[in-house]
């Protein structure tokens, strides 16, 4: 697979939170880090786990499950931090497990349903992903619905500005 996407294609990093599969655009990913306890901060929302040092840059670490309003992730050996760029700033998202990097076509992305919620939707779209053959999945196994996150909508600066 070439490093450059052809027009209409996107590389997506998929990861799990509980039983749900999510994806973010590979272009936003800086690195995947093993979980290590961040330095806590006072007077921040519960989903801000603290900050960590990424090669001299202080990066907020967000419990993504909590940020989405779900039950907090339970830390285990596969827990990791996805360090991403959001609106020119770096943030780390605690996820349960990174699954894969996949190539999808833009025309496969379905729009997120419009539902009444308290804040802007953080789902940019949904895409069906077939299970990979080398995972030992039986033929005919149903595909997985991946929720593509809108990182700009998840922007921490809407709730907390740690860059100041």
């Amino acid at each position: 697979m070439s490093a450059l996407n052809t027009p209409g294609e996107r590389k997506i990093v998929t990861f799990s939170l509980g039983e749900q599969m999510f994806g973010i655009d590979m272009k936003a990913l800086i690195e995947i880090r093993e979980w290590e306890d961040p330095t806590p901060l006072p007077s921040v929302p519960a989903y801000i786990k603290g900050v960590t040092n990424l090669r001299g840059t202080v990066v907020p670490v967000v419990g993504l499950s909590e940020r989405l309003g779900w039950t907090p992730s339970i830390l285990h050996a596969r827990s990791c931090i996805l360090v991403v760029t959001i609106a020119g700033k770096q943030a780390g998202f605690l996820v349960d497990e990174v699954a894969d990097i996949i190539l999808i076509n833009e025309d496969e992305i379905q729009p997120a349903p419009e539902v009444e919620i308290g804040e802007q939707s953080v789902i940019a779209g949904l895409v069906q992903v077939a299970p990979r053959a080398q995972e030992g999945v039986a033929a005919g196994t149903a595909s997985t619905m991946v929720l593509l996150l809108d990182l700009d909508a998840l922007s921490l600066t809407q709730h907390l500005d740690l860059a100041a």
Side-chain angles (χ1 to χ4, degrees):
M1 187 182 313
S2 71
L4 298 174
N5 298 350
T6 58
E9 290 184 334
R10 288 171 61 180
K11 280 188 181 174
I12 304 297
V13 178
T14 60
F15 57 92
S16 62
L17 288 176
E19 298 295 316
Q20 183 59 55
M21 190 66 64
F22 287 87
I24 59 169
D25 198 304
M26 182 76 176
K27 292 177 192 172
L29 184 68
I30 296 170
E31 73 177 70
I32 300 169
R33 297 184 69 155
E34 287 185 29
W35 173 257
E36 60 184 52
D37 288 329
T39 302
L41 295 174
S43 305
V44 296
Y47 61 82
I48 303 290
K49 299 297 183 187
V51 294
T52 191
N53 188 327
L54 178 62
R55 292 181 291 283
T57 301
V58 176
V59 177
V61 177
V62 175
L64 186 54
S65 189
E66 291 165 274
R67 172 64 181 88
L68 297 174
W70 294 357
T71 304
S73 293
I74 297 171
L75 296 174
H76 55 83
R78 308 266 315 171
S79 296
C80 59
I81 300 172
L82 297 179
V83 181
V84 298
T85 300
I86 302 175
K89 297 179 182 177
Q90 294 179 359
F93 290 121
L94 168 62
V95 301
D96 291 346
E97 184 175 341
V98 172
D100 204 356
I101 297 172
I102 59 171
L103 189 63
I104 61 170
N105 290 315
E106 294 280 344
D107 59 358
E108 295 173 341
I109 300 172
Q110 300 173 23
E114 293 184 29
V115 292
E116 186 99 9
I117 56 174
E119 66 175 301
Q120 176 183 350
S121 176
V122 297
I123 304 301
L126 301 101
V127 65
Q128 291 284 115
V129 177
R132 293 175 44 169
Q134 63 265 36
E135 292 175 350
V137 178
T141 300
S143 58
T144 301
M145 179 71 72
V146 175
L147 304 176
L148 301 175
L149 290 177
D150 180 347
L151 292 179
D152 290 332
L154 272 174
S155 175
L156 302 180
T157 57
Q158 293 178 24
H159 305 280
L160 175 70
D161 191 353
L162 293 174

